């Protein structure tokens, strides 16, 4: 295999990347990004790799979640705090019920880009315009759709501000605040009394530094940005924009630019695996990304859809076993379960489908003698968001327009997320 460098991806075909019209401006922006300080530390990425290895062996359970795509407008203390507290609380629930420590990974401080099925879209009153690819590429409003490299700098500074606030919050957080799990919206559940007992027990536990430990992650899609934020540390290279970065299901082509970039960085990395992944392709991909068979290096994030797990996952588990390469398995319960509401055409998901896919993953891993190491969800700490259907809150199609905030995919709101955490915890016991 050819020698790797931070820029060797440029000789490979790349999918889903924005092309900059003003090349000189883009070069100036990327050079500036290359000089800015890292957002995370390499030792933190190494620690996460160790924890992911433990999850792969069944010693921990991963809770990963956050926005589909972060918005610059949401970079404010109250929202950031709510988002982090939700992930921490979901971790506390699983840890208490299952009886094993959790790893909390947030889709935060850098999840500003999104893959799209087409580079353009038709918007009523505006004709064909560029698709919205996330705040660090272009704006959501039709007038702001031009791909603008200066937004990459805005993305960096919003990420840095986010990390600065979250680090200071966890350093000073009152344990009573972080453990204040609100289950009032779950009163209609027949399990409410059990939920209440669990929450009281969680609140009674002594908080430790590990209670508020979290890690950051995002999909590394815009590779010129990721290259600019990659730093040499000793004899290794780390992407120091996040602790973990992942390859999307649309950019994981063998021989493609994204695989080439990812194979050279020392971070733990995720790989989204959907129904289109062939078993032999998965083996080849793992050999490229983890030839030295390092535990905790690779997290396979499966995303099939409820009702499709056994058919797809069984073969993928067998392919991984045949490869001899260690992986940590994670279930993405959201991306295979998107639907369009019949009554109003809102993109949505059903909580019940999300939980069903996770339960199916747990069952198939048990059947195949492998281990589900965690879950990956799109969630928000906001209590009033109305984007996903179902759950104890009884969210219906006609309620979706009440507070549908997302610019991209729908997220579980706070109550639905807490309900999902209890369902997963009880299913994983």
């Amino acid at each position: 295999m050819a020698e790797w460098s931070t820029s060797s991806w440029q000789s490979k075909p790349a999918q889903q990347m924005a092309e900059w019209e003003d090349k000189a401006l883009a070069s100036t922006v990327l050079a500036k990004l290359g000089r800015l300080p890292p957002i995370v530390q390499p030792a933190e990425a190494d620690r996460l790799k160790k924890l992911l290895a433990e999850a792969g062996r069944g010693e921990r359970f991963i809770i990963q979640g956050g926005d589909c795509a972060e918005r610059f407008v949401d970079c404010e203390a109250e929202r950031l705090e709510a988002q982090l507290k939700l992930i921490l609380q979901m971790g506390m629930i699983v840890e208490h019920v299952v009886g094993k420590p959790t790893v909390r990974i947030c889709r935060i401080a850098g999840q500003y880009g999104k893959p799209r099925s087409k580079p353009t879209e038709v918007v009523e009153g505006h004709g064909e315009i560029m698709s919205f690819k996330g705040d660090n590429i272009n704006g959501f409003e039709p007038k702001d759709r031009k791909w603008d490299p200066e937004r990459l700098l805005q993305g960096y500074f919003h990420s840095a501000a986010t990390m600065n606030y979250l680090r200071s919050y966890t350093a000073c957080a009152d344990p009573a605040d972080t453990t204040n799990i609100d289950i009032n919206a779950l009163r209609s559940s027949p399990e409410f009394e059990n939920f209440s007992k669990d929450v009281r027990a969680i609140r009674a536990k002594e908080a430790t530094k590990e209670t508020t430990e979290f890690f950051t992650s995002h999909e590394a899609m815009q590779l010129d940005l990721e290259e600019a934020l990659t730093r040499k540390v000793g004899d290794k290279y780390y992407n120091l924009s996040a602790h973990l970065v992942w390859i999307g299901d649309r950019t994981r082509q063998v021989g493609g630019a994204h695989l080439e970039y990812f194979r050279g960085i020392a971070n733990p990395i995720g790989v989204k695996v959907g129904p289109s992944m062939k078993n032999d392709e998965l083996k080849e991909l793992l050999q490229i990304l983890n030839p030295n068979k390092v535990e905790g290096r690779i997290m396979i994030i499966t995303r099939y859809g409820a009702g499709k797990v056994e058919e797809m996952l069984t073969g993928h588990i067998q392919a991984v076993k045949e490869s001899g390469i260690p992986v940590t398995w994670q279930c993405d319960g959201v991306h295979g379960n998107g639907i369009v509401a019949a009554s109003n055409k809102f993109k949505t998901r059903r909580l019940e489908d999300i939980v069903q896919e996770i339960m199916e993953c747990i069952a198939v891993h048990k059947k195949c003698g492998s281990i589900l190491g965690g879950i990956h969800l799109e969630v928000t700490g906001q209590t009033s968001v109305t984007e996903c259907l179902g759950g104890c809150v009884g969210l219906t199609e006609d309620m979706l327009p009440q507070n549908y905030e997302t610019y991209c995919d729908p997220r579980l709101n706070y109550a639905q997320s807490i309900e999902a955490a209890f369902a997963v915890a009880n299913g994983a016991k």
Side-chain angles (χ1 to χ4, degrees), residues 6 30-40 42 156 225-234 236-241 261 265 267:
T6 56
L30 293 168
K32 172 66 173 174
L33 286 165
R35 295 190 298 270
L36 288 168
I39 294 174
V40 303
Y156 169 89
L225 169 65
E226 306 301 338
E227 177 188 341
L229 296 172
T230 303
R231 304 285 186 268
K232 188 175 185 182
V233 182
K236 297 178 181 178
Y237 287 87
Y238 290 82
N239 182 323
L240 295 180
S241 66
Y261 170 77
I265 59 173
N267 303 61

Side-chain angles (χ1 to χ4, degrees), residues 264-334:
I265 59 173
N267 303 61
I269 57 180
V271 182
K272 290 288 188 86
V273 171
S276 65
M277 175 71 85
K278 304 292 189 293
N279 294 343
D280 287 344
E281 183 186 11
L282 178 55
K283 287 192 277 190
E284 186 177 1
L285 181 150
L286 290 175
Q287 185 60 44
I288 292 168
L289 292 177
N290 195 14
N292 297 324
K293 301 183 178 181
V294 177
E295 272 194 290
R297 159 79 173 156
I298 302 289
M299 181 161 66
I300 293 182
I301 310 164
T302 61
R303 41 153 297 175
Y304 307 118
K308 301 175 183 177
V309 174
E310 185 165 12
E311 175 190 355
M312 304 290 177
L313 180 56
T314 305
H316 288 157
I317 291 172
Q318 184 59 33
V320 170
K321 287 181 177 180
E322 291 172 3
S323 77
I325 294 172
V327 305
T328 298
W329 290 97
Q330 188 186 55
C331 175
D332 171 348
V334 292

Side-chain angles (χ1 to χ4, degrees), residues 237-267:
Y237 287 87
Y238 290 82
N239 182 323
L240 295 180
S241 66
H243 300 114
L244 177 144
V245 286
W246 75 83
I247 310 173
D249 198 37
R250 302 183 194 186
T251 55
R252 54 162 176 74
Q253 297 82 8
V254 172
H258 288 79
L259 227 58
E260 173 62 21
Y261 170 77
F262 272 80
R263 77 178 177 92
I265 59 173
N267 303 61

Side-chain angles (χ1 to χ4, degrees), residues 85-86 88-93 176-184 186 195 198-200 202-203 414 418 422:
K85 281 166 62 176
L86 171 60
L88 295 177
Q89 289 174 359
M90 291 175 72
M92 292 171 193
I93 290 167
D177 184 40
T178 56
T179 60
N180 188 25
I181 302 170
D182 184 356
I183 56 171
N184 284 321
L186 309 187
F195 296 163
D198 289 333
V199 168
R200 286 195 297 270
I202 290 167
R203 289 175 181 165
Y414 177 86
I418 294 297
F422 275 113

Side-chain angles (χ1 to χ4, degrees), residues 41 54 63 74 206 296 340-341 382 405:
Q41 293 296 318
E54 293 174 4
I63 302 295
D74 293 333
E206 184 178 352
V340 176
Q382 300 303 302
E405 288 186 350

Side-chain angles (χ1 to χ4, degrees), residues 50-90:
K50 173 180 175 292
L51 298 180
L52 294 182
E54 293 174 4
R57 298 191 296 266
E59 299 163 12
R60 288 181 179 267
F61 196 84
I62 303 156
I63 302 295
Q64 184 173 3
D67 291 319
C68 170
E70 290 177 274
R71 307 184 302 179
F72 292 165
V73 71
D74 293 333
C75 185
E76 56 185 36
E78 183 180 348
R79 278 185 173 261
L80 296 176
E81 187 177 313
Q83 197 75 331
L84 177 59
K85 281 166 62 176
L86 171 60
I87 302 302
L88 295 177
Q89 289 174 359
M90 291 175 72

